[in-house]
Amino acid sequence: MTRTDGKVRYEPKSKVDASGAPYTPQTAASDVAATLGILEGRWKLLILFHLFDGKEHRFSELERAMPGISQKMLIQQLRQLESDGVVRRIVHHQVPPKVEYRLTEWGQALCPALDAILVWAAARERLVDAGTVAEPSPQ
């Protein structure tokens, strides 16, 4: 049997983590898992895609754009994104109250990464259609 450990290597482009220490497979996996935890949630990615235009969006506008989400869930997801520093909440003190949301600069920096995931997913679809990759199993 041929060993592949010497032939197949992946090293992150950034060879050091946020603390300046060199990445190991464990620290890289841990950092990616922590980052994906920020995006974890049924509605967060959809919310982000609605906010990627860089404009401020009113709460009611986001609610209308996602008909399957409840007010409670939208509030929860937005608050989590806000506490993680991805979304900024802007409160206008007026009657009736007006609350708007927009991505922070750090949140906007997520756009190219999600675009890369879309390109990766499209490439997989082409491979599935060509029959070179098995279709994903239903969950």
Side-chain angles (χ1 to χ4, degrees), residues 4-122:
T4 60
D5 64 326
K7 299 175 189 173
V8 180
R9 290 279 182 216
Y10 168 76
E11 296 205 15
K13 289 179 184 175
S14 168
K15 302 213 182 208
V16 294
D17 63 13
S19 68
Y23 269 119
T24 66
Q26 291 79 13
T27 59
S30 174
D31 287 354
V32 168
T35 302
L36 290 176
I38 293 171
L39 304 176
E40 191 175 54
R42 179 175 176 187
W43 298 98
K44 285 184 182 176
L45 288 173
L46 188 56
I47 292 168
L48 290 174
F49 278 105
H50 282 290
L51 295 174
F52 274 143
D53 62 6
K55 300 176 186 172
E56 295 175 353
H57 292 269
R58 293 189 68 168
F59 179 84
S60 58
E61 184 182 338
L62 290 170
E63 190 177 25
R64 278 192 306 274
M66 296 174 276
I69 191 169
S70 68
Q71 271 192 354
K72 178 183 176 185
M73 183 56 66
L74 181 56
I75 291 167
Q76 277 182 339
Q77 301 284 280
L78 285 166
R79 284 188 180 158
Q80 287 173 3
L81 288 167
E82 182 185 9
S83 70
D84 288 329
V86 178
V87 169
R88 179 179 303 121
R89 180 175 186 250
I90 303 141
V91 179
H92 300 278
H93 298 287
Q94 63 185 40
V95 177
K98 180 179 174 184
V99 179
E100 295 179 316
Y101 294 89
R102 73 175 309 149
L103 290 177
T104 61
E105 190 175 318
W106 186 64
Q108 196 68 42
L110 185 58
C111 188
L114 293 179
D115 282 343
I117 290 173
L118 287 172
V119 169
W120 179 71

